[in-house]
Amino acid sequence: MKRRWWKEAVVYQIYPRSFLDSDGDGMGDLHGIIAKLDYLNQLGVDVVWLSPIYPSPGDDGGYDVSNYCEIDPAFGTMTDWEGLLREMHGRGIRLLMDLVVNHTSDEHPWFVESRKSRENEYRDYYIWRPGKEGREPNNWASHFGGSAWAYDAVTDEYYLHLFSTKQPDLNWENPRVRTEIHGIMTWWLEKGIDGFRLDVINMISKVPGLPDAPVVSGERYQWAGQYFLHGPRLGEYLREMRETVLSKYDVFVVGETPGATTEHAIDLTHEEAGSLDMVFQFEHMDLAPPKALARVGKWHVGPWDLIELKQVMTRWQKELEGKGWNSFYLSNHDQPRSVSRFGDDGRYRVESAKMLATFLHMLHGTPYVYQGEEIGMTNVRFESIGEYRDLETLHFYQEWVDRRRSDPHEVMAAIHAKGRDNARTPMQWNASDHAGFTTGTPWIKVNPNYRQINVEQARADPSSIFHYYRRLIELRRQHPIMVYGSYELLLDAHEQIYAFLRSLHGERWLVVLNFTADLPVFALPSTITFSQHELILSNYPSDSRADPRLFRLQPYEARVYRLDRAQHKAREVRNDAGDGP
Ligand code: NOJ
């Protein structure tokens, strides 16, 4: 396995509009980020991934871009951005830009041109089709509800939009489109960035002919993932991107790939032949099966199963080992807060957030921390739909309450559990008004729990979640086993404990995580023997000599032991980019 800087890194995701507002307009901005770089430095993260900051009508929180080589004035200027990059690099923090090129905004000049006439030179930048028997060209559903096609009267044709009507899909079959995108990427790389996060990159190749999706529900429009996920030319497009652009820079790219299997991931991130460096997979985000309310499963509310989580994670850990590279996240701007989803955001908020942090950092792969996760920010429960801003959430409510007359309480319960705004409420800096996020009126309300949960409080408390994250990030720097060690699941059938081993050159670490508020007993399988042990980390004050063979866990307790160190001294790892440990 090759040693690479981005395998060893911890990435921190910033959702800029909710991070820090420096000018009182209620929106986070670049100067706000600059003001908090010392905070990120104290946390110890190596890379920052910025969600989009390009000019955008803001239909989908900036994921609808109208100019790829500019900064949205709401965030600042290009000069501010250059200052941000300089300040980051000065602190040893690298920058990952979000590249959203499956689609543009409908206000992008390419689309403005494209819709003017069928002969326009930009017409083929997008996917236009005539209607079929007075209806859409096919029965595909869009991610945000309704048809994936919008009718445009100017030319009497429909354009494809897998997301909102304001996000027309680019036509990657057109070589000019690909050349434009390569140009945009090169432009940013020449400015000195360190890589990209590629938004829904496995959707860029659609099956030719765009056939109707099989009718599997009574809905008018059907899920058509088999015709646009991992399409026939995806590999070719990404290889071309690698050869033309990425291979010329020491950067990394992480592709967002909904629906990816381990086979896809190995193919895309293969050590030798992969075009991407890692992907975001979704299996651990989709644990529970779709229920009545769920259009595509996402809105399902209910318990999830630890054994299923272990199976999913173990499959990804084992199958990619030595072949591709894993990334791991528990939350981001599209997902609920991790402590609310996988832990306990009430009584055991601190303990469970630390347990989840241990999980995140101890798996084999590059960990991604989402802003606010490091202080245990929780889901929000706005009472009225009027407080929500995310278009997916608003469409969901409209569809089920306004159109289908479902019980609004049930729909709000789904939004409280799964809505994307859970992760988009402003970062909680301190206990002053609006959590110190803005002096104006925030674009979305602050979570009312900011007086208890905020950065100022967390930094001042040595036993906080924040300091626990710091410790984990520091440990990763010191111990290659956290990055490169292989993974082995223990106790696969245990319903409360997730335990595993990491191993590297005879050194073994034992990770034991209690995912419940119960007090289960951990018993190490007798096949695992060792002569010495050391407690490396725990989220409770633990007796450092406590025997790892048999012990009772506290609610949401996490322990990490080193086994055998005295017998097998870890081989030093080389510091170059050659073959790693
Ligand atoms: C994935 C992004 O993370 C999400 O926020 C966005 O809505 C879709 N892609 C469409 O760009």
Side-chain angles (χ1 to χ4, degrees):
M1 201 185 301
K2 294 219 172 63
R3 191 162 181 195
R4 291 283 182 258
W5 64 265
W6 40 263
K7 294 181 179 175
E8 299 174 15
V10 175
V11 185
Y12 185 89
Q13 183 193 351
I14 291 183
Y15 191 68
R17 65 194 59 214
S18 301
F19 195 61
L20 180 64
D21 173 21
S22 71
D23 59 7
D25 67 356
M27 277 264 282
D29 49 45
L30 299 182
H31 278 291
I33 299 173
I34 295 173
K36 292 298 177 186
L37 290 178
D38 286 337
Y39 167 71
L40 297 180
N41 229 16
Q42 190 193 3
L43 181 59
V45 295
D46 307 278
V47 180
V48 164
W49 149 28
L50 279 190
S51 277
I53 49 169
Y54 319 103
S56 161
D59 187 54
D60 185 18
Y63 283 87
D64 46 324
V65 178
S66 54
N67 182 346
Y68 290 97
C69 297
E70 255 307 336
I71 304 297
D72 194 306
F75 293 124
T77 63
M78 191 55 81
T79 311
D80 297 335
W81 180 86
E82 285 160 359
L84 171 67
L85 184 67
R86 220 174 20 251
E87 293 287 332
M88 287 176 67
H89 282 172
R91 288 169 176 81
I93 300 176
R94 307 202 211 210
L95 175 62
L96 210 59
M97 293 291 277
D98 210 320
L99 194 71
V100 190
V101 287
N102 172 68
H103 44 268
T104 69
S105 160
D106 66 341
E107 297 182 31
H108 192 289
W110 298 339
F111 192 74
V112 172
E113 283 301 312
S114 184
R115 78 190 327 174
K116 281 185 181 161
S117 75
R118 294 190 193 188
E119 292 73 40
N120 190 284
E121 59 168 325
Y122 288 93
R123 185 67 169 181
D124 284 341
Y125 272 44
Y126 296 87
I127 303 173
W128 291 96
R129 293 288 185 277
K132 210 166 69 183
E133 290 146 22
R135 290 191 48 179
E136 298 87 0
N138 68 25
N139 66 352
W140 294 8
S142 109
H143 281 87
F144 295 144
S147 170
W149 296 92
Y151 178 68
D152 203 45
V154 181
T155 54
D156 187 29
E157 280 196 333
Y158 292 79
Y159 63 87
L160 181 72
H161 61 88
L162 293 180
F163 292 89
S164 91
T165 51
K166 286 185 68 61
Q167 293 169 295
D169 279 51
L170 280 165
N171 174 20
W172 278 67
E173 290 187 6
N174 180 349
R176 281 179 60 203
V177 167
R178 306 202 299 274
T179 305
E180 297 263 20
I181 291 165
H182 299 158
I184 291 164
M185 295 176 80
T186 303
W187 190 84
W188 282 107
L189 289 163
E190 286 299 314
K191 289 187 85 65
I193 65 164
D194 304 287
F196 293 105
R197 177 258 188 194
L198 302 175
D199 189 71
V200 291
I201 199 65
N202 61 341
M203 299 189 189
I204 58 179
S205 164
K206 281 85 177 170
V207 166
L210 311 176
D212 273 325
V215 177
V216 293
S217 70
E219 305 292 321
R220 177 154 179 189
Y221 303 108
Q222 303 290 321
W223 169 247
Q226 64 268 49
Y227 299 121
F228 62 76
L229 291 174
H230 301 276
R233 296 186 69 185
L234 176 67
E236 173 197 335
Y237 296 156
L238 295 181
R239 270 191 300 281
E240 183 185 54
M241 182 189 282
R242 169 65 63 182
E243 277 156 28
T244 321
V245 183
L246 295 167
S247 60
K248 308 199 166 104
Y249 302 86
D250 178 22
V251 295
F252 90 91
V253 285
V254 51
E256 189 204 22
T257 55
T261 61
T262 49
E263 288 77 21
H264 292 130
I266 292 167
D267 192 40
L268 291 170
T269 71
H270 195 275
E271 282 270 321
E272 307 301 335
S275 302
L276 306 179
D277 299 306
M278 54 187 116
V279 297
F280 291 135
Q281 62 93 7
F282 282 68
E283 282 194 56
H284 63 302
M285 291 287 133
D286 297 330
L287 286 181
K291 282 268 164 64
L293 263 182
R295 186 175 48 78
V296 285
K298 126 145 217 174
W299 295 102
H300 168 74
V301 180
W304 53 275
D305 181 15
L306 181 64
I307 294 180
E308 193 191 346
L309 178 67
K310 293 191 216 183
Q311 286 164 350
V312 164
M313 295 319 302
T314 301
R315 185 153 37 77
W316 279 85
Q317 294 280 296
K318 295 309 294 176
E319 291 186 12
L320 265 65
E321 200 172 298
K323 297 184 187 137
W325 188 255
N326 268 298
S327 74
F328 191 42
Y329 64 96
L330 287 168
S331 175
N332 60 37
H333 66 292
D334 292 331
Q335 301 293 339
R337 289 283 174 184
S338 51
V339 69
S340 301
R341 182 178 199 168
F342 295 107
D344 171 352
D345 61 9
R347 176 162 177 205
Y348 295 114
R349 185 183 66 86
V350 172
E351 293 80 359
S352 64
K354 290 179 183 174
M355 183 279 289
L356 291 169
T358 318
F359 183 43
L360 179 75
H361 291 268
M362 288 297 162
L363 283 177
H364 191 180
T366 301
Y368 285 71
V369 178
Y370 179 64
Q371 71 181 36
E373 178 185 321
E374 76 279 16
I375 56 165
M377 278 178 63
T378 69
N379 281 354
V380 72
R381 298 172 61 88
F382 294 136
E383 288 306 318
S384 117
I385 189 67
E387 313 279 21
Y388 285 88
R389 299 286 174 266
D390 166 35
L391 89 167
E392 182 187 44
T393 303
L394 300 176
H395 282 169
F396 173 66
Y397 188 91
Q398 223 171 34
E399 177 68 18
W400 289 91
V401 177
D402 301 344
R403 220 169 71 72
R404 303 194 191 203
R405 304 275 162 220
S406 291
D407 176 359
H409 296 290
E410 222 175 287
V411 172
M412 286 307 281
I415 291 171
H416 292 158
K418 292 290 186 69
R420 304 198 295 184
D421 281 340
N422 281 311
R424 298 179 182 188
T425 61
M427 182 75 183
Q428 294 165 205
W429 295 106
N430 56 44
S432 70
D433 286 353
H434 306 307
F437 164 70
T438 181
T439 52
T441 308
W443 70 276
I444 184 170
K445 276 193 176 166
V446 172
N447 190 320
N449 63 18
Y450 70 91
R451 291 195 199 274
Q452 295 79 46
I453 303 171
N454 62 64
V455 168
E456 196 173 285
Q457 176 276 335
R459 277 171 111 175
D461 171 6
S463 68
S464 68
I465 302 166
F466 172 78
H467 289 293
Y468 192 86
Y469 268 83
R470 281 186 66 197
R471 174 96 183 97
L472 277 161
I473 294 169
E474 211 174 272
L475 277 177
R476 186 178 183 84
R477 285 234 166 81
Q478 296 158 354
H479 299 282
I481 189 172
M482 281 176 71
V483 180
Y484 296 106
S486 63
Y487 163 101
E488 187 192 336
L489 180 69
L490 305 174
L491 314 182
D492 56 346
H494 202 292
E495 288 173 356
Q496 293 140 317
I497 297 174
Y498 190 153
F500 55 96
L501 288 174
R502 299 289 307 276
S503 310
L504 187 69
H505 306 317
E507 182 175 350
R508 282 183 302 173
W509 283 20
L510 168 68
V511 182
V512 183
L513 310 169
N514 177 8
F515 267 79
T516 69
D518 306 334
L519 309 172
V521 170
F522 173 76
L524 188 68
S526 57
T527 46
I528 296 161
T529 56
F530 59 93
S531 55
Q532 307 234 358
H533 68 267
E534 181 192 342
L535 183 68
I536 295 201
L537 185 74
S538 164
N539 61 347
Y540 278 81
S542 303
D543 175 358
S544 61
R545 289 153 308 169
D547 193 329
R549 271 170 277 239
L550 190 70
F551 59 91
R552 186 177 289 284
L553 286 153
Q554 300 294 311
Y556 295 99
E557 183 167 358
R559 290 195 200 182
V560 180
Y561 285 97
R562 173 163 38 209
L563 309 178
D564 269 349
R565 187 132 197 265
Q567 287 183 325
H568 308 273
K569 192 168 173 349
R571 182 154 59 92
E572 289 305 314
V573 289
R574 293 217 317 264
N575 248 337
D576 56 19
D579 283 350

